[in-house]
Amino acid sequence: MDQHFLQQVEADVRRALEEDVGSGDLTAALVPAGRTAHATIVCREDAVICGRPWVMETLRQAAPGATVHWHVDEGGRCRANGLVAEVSGSARALLTAERTCLNFLQTLSAVATSTARHVQAVAGTPARILDTRKTIPGLRVAQKYAVRCGGGHNHRMGLHDAILIKENHISAAGGLAAAYAAALQYAERASFIQVEVETLAQLEEALGAGVTMVLLDNMPLEQIRLAVGMAAGRCSLEISGGVSLERLPELAATGVDRISVGALIKDIRAIDLSMRFDGA
């Protein structure tokens, strides 16, 4: 994990604790100051577990000295009612940290679990599953990390690291070829340059302009098949828009290289986890 990632985790946790704890945990103060506790984190449903860096950072900030024994690896699968981790430390501090730990764990495990289902749906095909920028504001690094834990791949992190030329860019720049030519000036700063097309005619124009990465936006299945034949390996093809888990096998079977799915992150349901103290 690089330094930027660790700094982002620290900032995420600090912000979450400030939001939850504020000037102090009034309820935890009811527990004698010197009392210690042992707690277990249990997952109530089948899931891919993700979020360990955020849990560990939460404990570092809110419950220094706490010890954790993980029973499921990061990115590992947990069966319903399975034991995820055991935590020991100051009872007051663990009570304060509990909800923030679980919030990160339930949210990131949900993304990882959703991603794993989508990846499984295209198994045996060349297609890779990618995320989008449809993330919870402030949690993009965390949620894209969770996609990787689920076996998926990241699209661009933001507007700063890659170029995706969409219909509005094409219109404002004076056409597809003009927009792509302008983008090439920033090639050294961008991890990739991709052009979005909505029709086969636009795909032909993109191929003529030398575009090497094309995003097929909301194309019907038969047009996607035709697009794969037209590209004939001259560019990588990605599908976006109208993608569902049920449709993934037939979409992947067309021979496209990438399928980006906003639902990996934006349509998740939190995983059911709980932290219980011994004797509770």
Side-chain angles (χ1 to χ4, degrees), residues 66-237:
T67 60
V68 186
H69 175 59
W70 291 91
H71 289 262
V72 181
D73 291 334
E74 184 80 333
R77 293 183 178 270
C78 185
R79 294 293 186 185
N81 299 313
L83 179 60
V84 176
E86 297 178 76
V87 188
S88 300
S90 160
R92 277 189 181 182
L94 292 183
L95 287 165
T96 298
E98 175 186 2
R99 177 42 54 196
T100 298
C101 286
L102 292 178
N103 282 350
F104 280 117
L105 206 56
Q106 71 185 18
T107 301
L108 300 185
S109 294
V111 174
T113 302
S114 173
T115 302
R117 293 191 186 111
H118 286 75
V119 169
Q120 180 59 38
V122 302
T125 76
R128 297 192 303 169
I129 297 296
L130 286 87
D131 54 26
T132 70
R133 287 165 50 234
K134 297 174 182 176
T135 56
I136 296 174
L139 286 181
R140 181 166 297 174
V141 168
Q143 292 188 304
K144 282 182 171 281
Y145 166 88
V147 167
R148 298 194 301 274
C149 279
H153 299 267
N154 296 147
H155 203 272
R156 56 180 176 166
M157 183 60 67
L159 299 175
H160 55 87
D161 62 329
I163 296 174
L164 173 52
I165 303 170
K166 304 179 72 130
E167 68 276 10
N168 287 337
H169 301 100
I170 291 170
S171 175
L176 188 153
Y180 185 64
L184 291 175
Q185 300 176 50
Y186 300 94
E188 291 186 1
R189 293 172 53 187
S191 58
F192 62 80
I193 300 173
Q194 186 176 39
V195 176
E196 178 183 277
V197 302
E198 298 175 328
T199 66
L200 295 178
Q202 286 181 322
L203 173 60
E204 190 62 49
E205 185 181 0
L207 292 171
V211 176
T212 58
M213 290 183 68
V214 172
L215 177 65
L216 308 176
D217 183 42
N218 281 293
M219 272 195 183
L221 183 63
E222 188 52 42
Q223 285 193 28
I224 293 172
R225 294 192 179 111
L226 291 172
V228 172
M230 286 174 59
R234 288 182 288 169
C235 70
S236 69
L237 292 177

Side-chain angles (χ1 to χ4, degrees), residues 247-261:
R247 293 191 65 211
L248 272 178
E250 66 177 4
L251 291 172
T254 62
V256 296
D257 304 286
R258 298 147 53 106
I259 304 176
S260 52
V261 187

